[in-house]
Amino acid sequence: MTRKQLFVTALTLLGIVLTYTAFVWLQQNDFQLFGLSAYQYFPLFGLLAYMTMWVQYMVEAYMHATETPHTIDPFFKRTSLFVLLCIVLHPAIFISKLYADGAGLPPASYSQYVAESMVWLVGLGTISLILFIAFEFRKYFIELGIWKYVVLLNDVAMLAIFYHGLRLGSTIQSGLFTYVWYFVGVTLVAAIAYKYYYWHSQKQSVI
């Protein structure tokens, strides 16, 4: 597969995944785009961010498995900017709405939206958000020599958000998308495991 074909394939997969995700969200909201509560809008941005990152993991896994000599940095850079925008909007809309409703600021305000026993799941999302943002400062962490730990923490954050979404996501808990979410989780675990296997085998071949 040429670099162009790889780029187009990755972009096509992303388009299909995000279109389906947006469709499910629209279906849950009776195909209304306007007049919805902020509580209905903010989950969409979380879903779009996560599904985009999932596509990134799948593309990376494919590149490792086929040992493709090509890189598609423009794809990863552009999609990472989209992810950054979405993961900032997701909690920003949520926290702003809670504040506007008189719930105050987090973490105390979270209990106005979820049961006390579920507040830690919202906090889990906040911690993961910080880790995802840290990922954008790759050059800085490479210079410090701790990039591999940032990558590891991001992998942990991806798994944490999978659980966060499974327990709290209203869209995820609706119909067929629940099974899609489980598929995303299983393939994500496989991609992460294969990444570390690939890195280990690359080190062994060098030795």
Side-chain angles (χ1 to χ4, degrees), residues 1-18 51-63 71-76 79:
M1 188 180 289
T2 66
R3 180 183 286 106
K4 183 178 180 180
Q5 289 173 328
L6 182 60
F7 182 84
V8 171
T9 301
L11 207 57
T12 301
L13 175 61
L14 179 64
I16 293 171
V17 168
L18 294 190
M51 297 305 281
T52 300
M53 288 188 285
W54 176 79
V55 170
Q56 291 176 332
Y57 272 80
M58 294 304 106
V59 172
E60 182 185 50
Y62 171 81
M63 293 172 67
T71 59
I72 49 172
D73 288 342
F75 171 79
F76 288 104
T79 52

Side-chain angles (χ1 to χ4, degrees), residues 96-164:
S96 297
K97 178 59 175 171
L98 285 173
Y99 186 78
D101 288 346
L105 295 172
S109 60
Y110 294 155
S111 61
Q112 297 298 311
Y113 185 76
V114 298
E116 287 284 351
S117 61
M118 306 279 274
V119 168
W120 72 274
L121 288 167
V122 183
L124 189 65
T126 303
I127 294 170
S128 298
L129 167 66
I130 294 170
L131 294 175
F132 289 144
I133 292 176
F135 195 82
E136 301 304 317
F137 295 90
R138 174 174 180 168
K139 184 178 178 181
Y140 175 73
F141 290 117
I142 288 176
E143 290 175 354
L144 288 177
I146 58 172
W147 176 242
K148 62 180 180 180
Y149 301 111
V150 176
V151 172
L152 175 61
L153 288 173
N154 265 261
D155 292 336
V156 172
M158 282 294 289
L159 297 174
I161 290 298
F162 169 79
Y163 186 67
H164 167 92

